[in-house]
Amino acid sequence: MAGIKKVKLTQEGLNNLEQELEQLKTVRRKEVSEKIKVALSFGDLSENSEYDEAKNEQAMVEARINELENILKDVQIVNEDDITTDAVSLGNTVTLKNLKNNKIDTFKIVGSTEASPMKKKISDESPVGKAVIGHKVDEIVDAEVPSGIIQYQILEITK
């Protein structure tokens, strides 16, 4: 099918998604199934909130399994050997200086499915990620964020 976008992942991101899928299929499915069995034993389903809750949880688990299987079907792994430190690319860790407040932050540039701002992993499709991709150390870039435009200076690029 033309037009299907490949999901870019680092090897670490692929491993994490595969582990999550395996855990959902082998552990969570069984846990939810047990919850449904217990809730069924309470009788009358029309007023059984435990049953409704367990069925909703089952739907969420199955939806996440489906989502992960679809992601893993169309994955493009970023080869660690191909990552250079000449310019920012997917897989790099980049140290940025916010020129407005002089705050320095370090982020790993990852694919959108493995982004986790709390873990300092930002997507190559995020405003800051898009702004720094392809740029080199000491360059100043403008990131268009919801609060306006923020200028960053790239201080360091590492693998």
PDB file of all heavy atoms in Angstrom, residues 57-90:
ATOM      1  N   GLU A  57     -11.401  -2.788  30.531  1.00  0.00           N
ATOM      2  CA  GLU A  57      -9.957  -3.017  30.617  1.00  0.00           C
ATOM      3  C   GLU A  57      -9.507  -3.971  29.514  1.00  0.00           C
ATOM      4  O   GLU A  57      -8.485  -3.767  28.878  1.00  0.00           O
ATOM      5  CB  GLU A  57      -9.612  -3.572  31.998  1.00  0.00           C
ATOM      6  CG  GLU A  57      -8.131  -3.644  32.253  1.00  0.00           C
ATOM      7  CD  GLU A  57      -7.795  -4.077  33.679  1.00  0.00           C
ATOM      8  OE1 GLU A  57      -8.706  -4.119  34.538  1.00  0.00           O
ATOM      9  OE2 GLU A  57      -6.622  -4.390  33.909  1.00  0.00           O
ATOM     10  N   GLN A  58     -10.318  -5.007  29.267  1.00  0.00           N
ATOM     11  CA  GLN A  58     -10.002  -5.964  28.204  1.00  0.00           C
ATOM     12  C   GLN A  58      -9.955  -5.249  26.847  1.00  0.00           C
ATOM     13  O   GLN A  58      -9.050  -5.481  26.045  1.00  0.00           O
ATOM     14  CB  GLN A  58     -11.044  -7.073  28.175  1.00  0.00           C
ATOM     15  CG  GLN A  58     -10.775  -8.115  27.100  1.00  0.00           C
ATOM     16  CD  GLN A  58     -11.887  -9.155  27.031  1.00  0.00           C
ATOM     17  OE1 GLN A  58     -13.066  -8.810  27.088  1.00  0.00           O
ATOM     18  NE2 GLN A  58     -11.491 -10.417  26.921  1.00  0.00           N
ATOM     19  N   ALA A  59     -10.905  -4.367  26.608  1.00  0.00           N
ATOM     20  CA  ALA A  59     -10.939  -3.624  25.340  1.00  0.00           C
ATOM     21  C   ALA A  59      -9.686  -2.756  25.187  1.00  0.00           C
ATOM     22  O   ALA A  59      -9.108  -2.665  24.097  1.00  0.00           O
ATOM     23  CB  ALA A  59     -12.200  -2.770  25.258  1.00  0.00           C
ATOM     24  N   MET A  60      -9.268  -2.128  26.281  1.00  0.00           N
ATOM     25  CA  MET A  60      -8.064  -1.280  26.214  1.00  0.00           C
ATOM     26  C   MET A  60      -6.805  -2.109  25.957  1.00  0.00           C
ATOM     27  O   MET A  60      -5.952  -1.715  25.157  1.00  0.00           O
ATOM     28  CB  MET A  60      -7.913  -0.459  27.495  1.00  0.00           C
ATOM     29  CG  MET A  60      -8.949   0.645  27.603  1.00  0.00           C
ATOM     30  SD  MET A  60      -8.680   1.820  28.947  1.00  0.00           S
ATOM     31  CE  MET A  60      -8.747   0.789  30.380  1.00  0.00           C
ATOM     32  N   VAL A  61      -6.701  -3.260  26.599  1.00  0.00           N
ATOM     33  CA  VAL A  61      -5.547  -4.142  26.392  1.00  0.00           C
ATOM     34  C   VAL A  61      -5.512  -4.618  24.935  1.00  0.00           C
ATOM     35  O   VAL A  61      -4.467  -4.564  24.279  1.00  0.00           O
ATOM     36  CB  VAL A  61      -5.570  -5.335  27.377  1.00  0.00           C
ATOM     37  CG1 VAL A  61      -4.578  -6.415  26.970  1.00  0.00           C
ATOM     38  CG2 VAL A  61      -5.295  -4.860  28.798  1.00  0.00           C
ATOM     39  N   GLU A  62      -6.663  -5.055  24.422  1.00  0.00           N
ATOM     40  CA  GLU A  62      -6.722  -5.542  23.041  1.00  0.00           C
ATOM     41  C   GLU A  62      -6.426  -4.427  22.036  1.00  0.00           C
ATOM     42  O   GLU A  62      -5.760  -4.653  21.025  1.00  0.00           O
ATOM     43  CB  GLU A  62      -8.074  -6.196  22.747  1.00  0.00           C
ATOM     44  CG  GLU A  62      -8.312  -7.483  23.522  1.00  0.00           C
ATOM     45  CD  GLU A  62      -7.255  -8.554  23.304  1.00  0.00           C
ATOM     46  OE1 GLU A  62      -6.750  -8.704  22.166  1.00  0.00           O
ATOM     47  OE2 GLU A  62      -6.923  -9.252  24.284  1.00  0.00           O
ATOM     48  N   ALA A  63      -6.881  -3.219  22.336  1.00  0.00           N
ATOM     49  CA  ALA A  63      -6.608  -2.080  21.445  1.00  0.00           C
ATOM     50  C   ALA A  63      -5.109  -1.770  21.419  1.00  0.00           C
ATOM     51  O   ALA A  63      -4.541  -1.510  20.355  1.00  0.00           O
ATOM     52  CB  ALA A  63      -7.393  -0.848  21.897  1.00  0.00           C
ATOM     53  N   ARG A  64      -4.461  -1.833  22.584  1.00  0.00           N
ATOM     54  CA  ARG A  64      -3.023  -1.564  22.637  1.00  0.00           C
ATOM     55  C   ARG A  64      -2.252  -2.673  21.924  1.00  0.00           C
ATOM     56  O   ARG A  64      -1.283  -2.386  21.213  1.00  0.00           O
ATOM     57  CB  ARG A  64      -2.558  -1.416  24.092  1.00  0.00           C
ATOM     58  CG  ARG A  64      -1.087  -1.097  24.243  1.00  0.00           C
ATOM     59  CD  ARG A  64      -0.699   0.242  23.646  1.00  0.00           C
ATOM     60  NE  ARG A  64       0.718   0.499  23.872  1.00  0.00           N
ATOM     61  CZ  ARG A  64       1.469   1.288  23.134  1.00  0.00           C
ATOM     62  NH1 ARG A  64       0.931   1.988  22.140  1.00  0.00           N
ATOM     63  NH2 ARG A  64       2.740   1.443  23.390  1.00  0.00           N
ATOM     64  N   ILE A  65      -2.670  -3.920  22.086  1.00  0.00           N
ATOM     65  CA  ILE A  65      -2.023  -5.028  21.365  1.00  0.00           C
ATOM     66  C   ILE A  65      -2.130  -4.797  19.864  1.00  0.00           C
ATOM     67  O   ILE A  65      -1.145  -4.916  19.133  1.00  0.00           O
ATOM     68  CB  ILE A  65      -2.645  -6.388  21.772  1.00  0.00           C
ATOM     69  CG1 ILE A  65      -2.226  -6.757  23.195  1.00  0.00           C
ATOM     70  CG2 ILE A  65      -2.272  -7.485  20.773  1.00  0.00           C
ATOM     71  CD1 ILE A  65      -2.953  -7.964  23.773  1.00  0.00           C
ATOM     72  N   ASN A  66      -3.321  -4.442  19.405  1.00  0.00           N
ATOM     73  CA  ASN A  66      -3.544  -4.172  17.986  1.00  0.00           C
ATOM     74  C   ASN A  66      -2.662  -3.017  17.501  1.00  0.00           C
ATOM     75  O   ASN A  66      -2.044  -3.089  16.430  1.00  0.00           O
ATOM     76  CB  ASN A  66      -5.032  -3.864  17.747  1.00  0.00           C
ATOM     77  CG  ASN A  66      -5.386  -3.831  16.296  1.00  0.00           C
ATOM     78  OD1 ASN A  66      -4.786  -4.518  15.481  1.00  0.00           O
ATOM     79  ND2 ASN A  66      -6.365  -3.010  15.948  1.00  0.00           N
ATOM     80  N   GLU A  67      -2.606  -1.958  18.296  1.00  0.00           N
ATOM     81  CA  GLU A  67      -1.776  -0.799  17.940  1.00  0.00           C
ATOM     82  C   GLU A  67      -0.309  -1.190  17.830  1.00  0.00           C
ATOM     83  O   GLU A  67       0.367  -0.833  16.864  1.00  0.00           O
ATOM     84  CB  GLU A  67      -1.966   0.292  19.002  1.00  0.00           C
ATOM     85  CG  GLU A  67      -1.120   1.524  18.774  1.00  0.00           C
ATOM     86  CD  GLU A  67      -1.251   2.549  19.895  1.00  0.00           C
ATOM     87  OE1 GLU A  67      -1.706   2.209  21.009  1.00  0.00           O
ATOM     88  OE2 GLU A  67      -0.875   3.697  19.656  1.00  0.00           O
ATOM     89  N   LEU A  68       0.199  -1.941  18.800  1.00  0.00           N
ATOM     90  CA  LEU A  68       1.602  -2.351  18.781  1.00  0.00           C
ATOM     91  C   LEU A  68       1.895  -3.273  17.595  1.00  0.00           C
ATOM     92  O   LEU A  68       2.931  -3.140  16.945  1.00  0.00           O
ATOM     93  CB  LEU A  68       1.982  -3.044  20.092  1.00  0.00           C
ATOM     94  CG  LEU A  68       2.065  -2.138  21.315  1.00  0.00           C
ATOM     95  CD1 LEU A  68       2.256  -2.957  22.582  1.00  0.00           C
ATOM     96  CD2 LEU A  68       3.164  -1.104  21.165  1.00  0.00           C
ATOM     97  N   GLU A  69       0.994  -4.201  17.319  1.00  0.00           N
ATOM     98  CA  GLU A  69       1.205  -5.099  16.175  1.00  0.00           C
ATOM     99  C   GLU A  69       1.255  -4.308  14.871  1.00  0.00           C
ATOM    100  O   GLU A  69       2.077  -4.599  13.994  1.00  0.00           O
ATOM    101  CB  GLU A  69       0.113  -6.161  16.131  1.00  0.00           C
ATOM    102  CG  GLU A  69       0.268  -7.201  17.210  1.00  0.00           C
ATOM    103  CD  GLU A  69      -0.856  -8.227  17.268  1.00  0.00           C
ATOM    104  OE1 GLU A  69      -1.970  -7.955  16.742  1.00  0.00           O
ATOM    105  OE2 GLU A  69      -0.621  -9.295  17.859  1.00  0.00           O
ATOM    106  N   ASN A  70       0.405  -3.298  14.738  1.00  0.00           N
ATOM    107  CA  ASN A  70       0.425  -2.459  13.527  1.00  0.00           C
ATOM    108  C   ASN A  70       1.708  -1.641  13.428  1.00  0.00           C
ATOM    109  O   ASN A  70       2.263  -1.488  12.344  1.00  0.00           O
ATOM    110  CB  ASN A  70      -0.800  -1.548  13.483  1.00  0.00           C
ATOM    111  CG  ASN A  70      -2.053  -2.305  13.105  1.00  0.00           C
ATOM    112  OD1 ASN A  70      -2.004  -3.290  12.381  1.00  0.00           O
ATOM    113  ND2 ASN A  70      -3.191  -1.853  13.612  1.00  0.00           N
ATOM    114  N   ILE A  71       2.173  -1.119  14.549  1.00  0.00           N
ATOM    115  CA  ILE A  71       3.428  -0.361  14.554  1.00  0.00           C
ATOM    116  C   ILE A  71       4.577  -1.278  14.139  1.00  0.00           C
ATOM    117  O   ILE A  71       5.392  -0.919  13.285  1.00  0.00           O
ATOM    118  CB  ILE A  71       3.703   0.239  15.954  1.00  0.00           C
ATOM    119  CG1 ILE A  71       2.743   1.401  16.232  1.00  0.00           C
ATOM    120  CG2 ILE A  71       5.157   0.717  16.070  1.00  0.00           C
ATOM    121  CD1 ILE A  71       2.758   1.892  17.679  1.00  0.00           C
ATOM    122  N   LEU A  72       4.625  -2.457  14.724  1.00  0.00           N
ATOM    123  CA  LEU A  72       5.749  -3.364  14.477  1.00  0.00           C
ATOM    124  C   LEU A  72       5.758  -3.944  13.065  1.00  0.00           C
ATOM    125  O   LEU A  72       6.793  -4.405  12.597  1.00  0.00           O
ATOM    126  CB  LEU A  72       5.757  -4.475  15.532  1.00  0.00           C
ATOM    127  CG  LEU A  72       6.070  -3.992  16.955  1.00  0.00           C
ATOM    128  CD1 LEU A  72       5.871  -5.113  17.965  1.00  0.00           C
ATOM    129  CD2 LEU A  72       7.462  -3.406  17.050  1.00  0.00           C
ATOM    130  N   LYS A  73       4.622  -3.889  12.373  1.00  0.00           N
ATOM    131  CA  LYS A  73       4.554  -4.354  10.986  1.00  0.00           C
ATOM    132  C   LYS A  73       5.318  -3.433  10.045  1.00  0.00           C
ATOM    133  O   LYS A  73       5.819  -3.862   9.022  1.00  0.00           O
ATOM    134  CB  LYS A  73       3.093  -4.397  10.506  1.00  0.00           C
ATOM    135  CG  LYS A  73       2.408  -5.700  10.747  1.00  0.00           C
ATOM    136  CD  LYS A  73       1.107  -5.751   9.978  1.00  0.00           C
ATOM    137  CE  LYS A  73      -0.043  -5.579  10.925  1.00  0.00           C
ATOM    138  NZ  LYS A  73      -1.345  -5.565  10.319  1.00  0.00           N
ATOM    139  N   ASP A  74       5.358  -2.157  10.365  1.00  0.00           N
ATOM    140  CA  ASP A  74       5.932  -1.152   9.465  1.00  0.00           C
ATOM    141  C   ASP A  74       7.052  -0.354  10.115  1.00  0.00           C
ATOM    142  O   ASP A  74       7.055   0.867  10.096  1.00  0.00           O
ATOM    143  CB  ASP A  74       4.822  -0.193   9.012  1.00  0.00           C
ATOM    144  CG  ASP A  74       4.625  -0.228   7.522  1.00  0.00           C
ATOM    145  OD1 ASP A  74       5.432  -0.868   6.833  1.00  0.00           O
ATOM    146  OD2 ASP A  74       3.672   0.398   7.048  1.00  0.00           O
ATOM    147  N   VAL A  75       8.007  -1.061  10.679  1.00  0.00           N
ATOM    148  CA  VAL A  75       9.078  -0.417  11.421  1.00  0.00           C
ATOM    149  C   VAL A  75      10.318  -0.221  10.556  1.00  0.00           C
ATOM    150  O   VAL A  75      10.642  -1.055   9.712  1.00  0.00           O
ATOM    151  CB  VAL A  75       9.387  -1.272  12.677  1.00  0.00           C
ATOM    152  CG1 VAL A  75      10.840  -1.420  12.957  1.00  0.00           C
ATOM    153  CG2 VAL A  75       8.674  -0.727  13.874  1.00  0.00           C
ATOM    154  N   GLN A  76      10.975   0.896  10.764  1.00  0.00           N
ATOM    155  CA  GLN A  76      12.280   1.141  10.141  1.00  0.00           C
ATOM    156  C   GLN A  76      13.250   1.406  11.285  1.00  0.00           C
ATOM    157  O   GLN A  76      13.105   2.382  12.022  1.00  0.00           O
ATOM    158  CB  GLN A  76      12.220   2.355   9.209  1.00  0.00           C
ATOM    159  CG  GLN A  76      13.561   2.695   8.596  1.00  0.00           C
ATOM    160  CD  GLN A  76      13.502   3.970   7.752  1.00  0.00           C
ATOM    161  OE1 GLN A  76      12.438   4.497   7.452  1.00  0.00           O
ATOM    162  NE2 GLN A  76      14.663   4.472   7.391  1.00  0.00           N
ATOM    163  N   ILE A  77      14.211   0.505  11.457  1.00  0.00           N
ATOM    164  CA  ILE A  77      15.175   0.633  12.548  1.00  0.00           C
ATOM    165  C   ILE A  77      16.284   1.582  12.126  1.00  0.00           C
ATOM    166  O   ILE A  77      16.825   1.484  11.026  1.00  0.00           O
ATOM    167  CB  ILE A  77      15.795  -0.739  12.907  1.00  0.00           C
ATOM    168  CG1 ILE A  77      14.718  -1.710  13.337  1.00  0.00           C
ATOM    169  CG2 ILE A  77      16.851  -0.591  14.002  1.00  0.00           C
ATOM    170  CD1 ILE A  77      13.950  -1.306  14.562  1.00  0.00           C
ATOM    171  N   VAL A  78      16.610   2.492  13.028  1.00  0.00           N
ATOM    172  CA  VAL A  78      17.730   3.396  12.800  1.00  0.00           C
ATOM    173  C   VAL A  78      18.983   2.625  13.204  1.00  0.00           C
ATOM    174  O   VAL A  78      19.144   2.240  14.360  1.00  0.00           O
ATOM    175  CB  VAL A  78      17.583   4.678  13.645  1.00  0.00           C
ATOM    176  CG1 VAL A  78      18.798   5.565  13.473  1.00  0.00           C
ATOM    177  CG2 VAL A  78      16.316   5.414  13.272  1.00  0.00           C
ATOM    178  N   ASN A  79      19.843   2.383  12.234  1.00  0.00           N
ATOM    179  CA  ASN A  79      21.071   1.634  12.470  1.00  0.00           C
ATOM    180  C   ASN A  79      22.046   2.498  13.264  1.00  0.00           C
ATOM    181  O   ASN A  79      22.423   3.585  12.825  1.00  0.00           O
ATOM    182  CB  ASN A  79      21.676   1.221  11.130  1.00  0.00           C
ATOM    183  CG  ASN A  79      22.852   0.301  11.290  1.00  0.00           C
ATOM    184  OD1 ASN A  79      23.483   0.217  12.344  1.00  0.00           O
ATOM    185  ND2 ASN A  79      23.181  -0.403  10.221  1.00  0.00           N
ATOM    186  N   GLU A  80      22.438   2.013  14.437  1.00  0.00           N
ATOM    187  CA  GLU A  80      23.351   2.764  15.308  1.00  0.00           C
ATOM    188  C   GLU A  80      24.650   3.130  14.583  1.00  0.00           C
ATOM    189  O   GLU A  80      25.226   4.188  14.834  1.00  0.00           O
ATOM    190  CB  GLU A  80      23.679   1.950  16.566  1.00  0.00           C
ATOM    191  CG  GLU A  80      22.486   1.645  17.451  1.00  0.00           C
ATOM    192  CD  GLU A  80      21.955   2.854  18.215  1.00  0.00           C
ATOM    193  OE1 GLU A  80      22.754   3.730  18.586  1.00  0.00           O
ATOM    194  OE2 GLU A  80      20.739   2.913  18.430  1.00  0.00           O
ATOM    195  N   ASP A  81      25.110   2.265  13.690  1.00  0.00           N
ATOM    196  CA  ASP A  81      26.365   2.523  12.968  1.00  0.00           C
ATOM    197  C   ASP A  81      26.225   3.681  11.985  1.00  0.00           C
ATOM    198  O   ASP A  81      27.222   4.301  11.613  1.00  0.00           O
ATOM    199  CB  ASP A  81      26.819   1.272  12.212  1.00  0.00           C
ATOM    200  CG  ASP A  81      27.144   0.121  13.153  1.00  0.00           C
ATOM    201  OD1 ASP A  81      27.476   0.385  14.333  1.00  0.00           O
ATOM    202  OD2 ASP A  81      27.057  -1.041  12.717  1.00  0.00           O
ATOM    203  N   ASP A  82      24.998   3.965  11.555  1.00  0.00           N
ATOM    204  CA  ASP A  82      24.767   5.042  10.595  1.00  0.00           C
ATOM    205  C   ASP A  82      24.620   6.406  11.268  1.00  0.00           C
ATOM    206  O   ASP A  82      24.602   7.432  10.598  1.00  0.00           O
ATOM    207  CB  ASP A  82      23.511   4.775   9.764  1.00  0.00           C
ATOM    208  CG  ASP A  82      23.671   3.549   8.871  1.00  0.00           C
ATOM    209  OD1 ASP A  82      24.832   3.142   8.617  1.00  0.00           O
ATOM    210  OD2 ASP A  82      22.645   2.993   8.435  1.00  0.00           O
ATOM    211  N   ILE A  83      24.492   6.405  12.585  1.00  0.00           N
ATOM    212  CA  ILE A  83      24.314   7.665  13.312  1.00  0.00           C
ATOM    213  C   ILE A  83      25.668   8.344  13.451  1.00  0.00           C
ATOM    214  O   ILE A  83      26.625   7.760  13.938  1.00  0.00           O
ATOM    215  CB  ILE A  83      23.699   7.422  14.715  1.00  0.00           C
ATOM    216  CG1 ILE A  83      22.323   6.769  14.573  1.00  0.00           C
ATOM    217  CG2 ILE A  83      23.611   8.717  15.504  1.00  0.00           C
ATOM    218  CD1 ILE A  83      21.726   6.308  15.898  1.00  0.00           C
ATOM    219  N   THR A  84      25.713   9.594  12.998  1.00  0.00           N
ATOM    220  CA  THR A  84      26.945  10.371  13.139  1.00  0.00           C
ATOM    221  C   THR A  84      26.682  11.541  14.085  1.00  0.00           C
ATOM    222  O   THR A  84      25.539  11.806  14.448  1.00  0.00           O
ATOM    223  CB  THR A  84      27.419  10.933  11.778  1.00  0.00           C
ATOM    224  OG1 THR A  84      26.495  11.946  11.366  1.00  0.00           O
ATOM    225  CG2 THR A  84      27.525   9.844  10.734  1.00  0.00           C
ATOM    226  N   THR A  85      27.730  12.228  14.432  1.00  0.00           N
ATOM    227  CA  THR A  85      27.577  13.403  15.288  1.00  0.00           C
ATOM    228  C   THR A  85      27.846  14.687  14.506  1.00  0.00           C
ATOM    229  O   THR A  85      28.022  15.748  15.094  1.00  0.00           O
ATOM    230  CB  THR A  85      28.508  13.314  16.513  1.00  0.00           C
ATOM    231  OG1 THR A  85      29.855  13.145  16.071  1.00  0.00           O
ATOM    232  CG2 THR A  85      28.117  12.153  17.412  1.00  0.00           C
ATOM    233  N   ASP A  86      27.871  14.577  13.180  1.00  0.00           N
ATOM    234  CA  ASP A  86      28.089  15.751  12.330  1.00  0.00           C
ATOM    235  C   ASP A  86      26.905  16.710  12.414  1.00  0.00           C
ATOM    236  O   ASP A  86      27.079  17.926  12.478  1.00  0.00           O
ATOM    237  CB  ASP A  86      28.289  15.349  10.865  1.00  0.00           C
ATOM    238  CG  ASP A  86      29.508  14.455  10.671  1.00  0.00           C
ATOM    239  OD1 ASP A  86      30.400  14.475  11.533  1.00  0.00           O
ATOM    240  OD2 ASP A  86      29.542  13.729   9.660  1.00  0.00           O
ATOM    241  N   ALA A  87      25.713  16.152  12.364  1.00  0.00           N
ATOM    242  CA  ALA A  87      24.480  16.936  12.428  1.00  0.00           C
ATOM    243  C   ALA A  87      23.450  16.116  13.193  1.00  0.00           C
ATOM    244  O   ALA A  87      23.516  14.886  13.225  1.00  0.00           O
ATOM    245  CB  ALA A  87      23.966  17.254  11.020  1.00  0.00           C
ATOM    246  N   VAL A  88      22.482  16.782  13.794  1.00  0.00           N
ATOM    247  CA  VAL A  88      21.470  16.104  14.602  1.00  0.00           C
ATOM    248  C   VAL A  88      20.605  15.212  13.726  1.00  0.00           C
ATOM    249  O   VAL A  88      20.121  15.639  12.677  1.00  0.00           O
ATOM    250  CB  VAL A  88      20.573  17.130  15.345  1.00  0.00           C
ATOM    251  CG1 VAL A  88      19.508  16.407  16.171  1.00  0.00           C
ATOM    252  CG2 VAL A  88      21.400  18.050  16.226  1.00  0.00           C
ATOM    253  N   SER A  89      20.434  13.968  14.169  1.00  0.00           N
ATOM    254  CA  SER A  89      19.545  13.033  13.471  1.00  0.00           C
ATOM    255  C   SER A  89      18.896  12.116  14.501  1.00  0.00           C
ATOM    256  O   SER A  89      19.247  12.145  15.685  1.00  0.00           O
ATOM    257  CB  SER A  89      20.317  12.219  12.431  1.00  0.00           C
ATOM    258  OG  SER A  89      21.258  11.374  13.065  1.00  0.00           O
ATOM    259  N   LEU A  90      17.970  11.321  14.030  1.00  0.00           N
ATOM    260  CA  LEU A  90      17.296  10.362  14.887  1.00  0.00           C
ATOM    261  C   LEU A  90      18.333   9.466  15.543  1.00  0.00           C
ATOM    262  O   LEU A  90      19.237   8.978  14.874  1.00  0.00           O
ATOM    263  CB  LEU A  90      16.326   9.522  14.049  1.00  0.00           C
ATOM    264  CG  LEU A  90      15.291   8.741  14.816  1.00  0.00           C
ATOM    265  CD1 LEU A  90      14.174   9.673  15.288  1.00  0.00           C
ATOM    266  CD2 LEU A  90      14.694   7.665  13.954  1.00  0.00           C
TER     267      LEU A  90
END
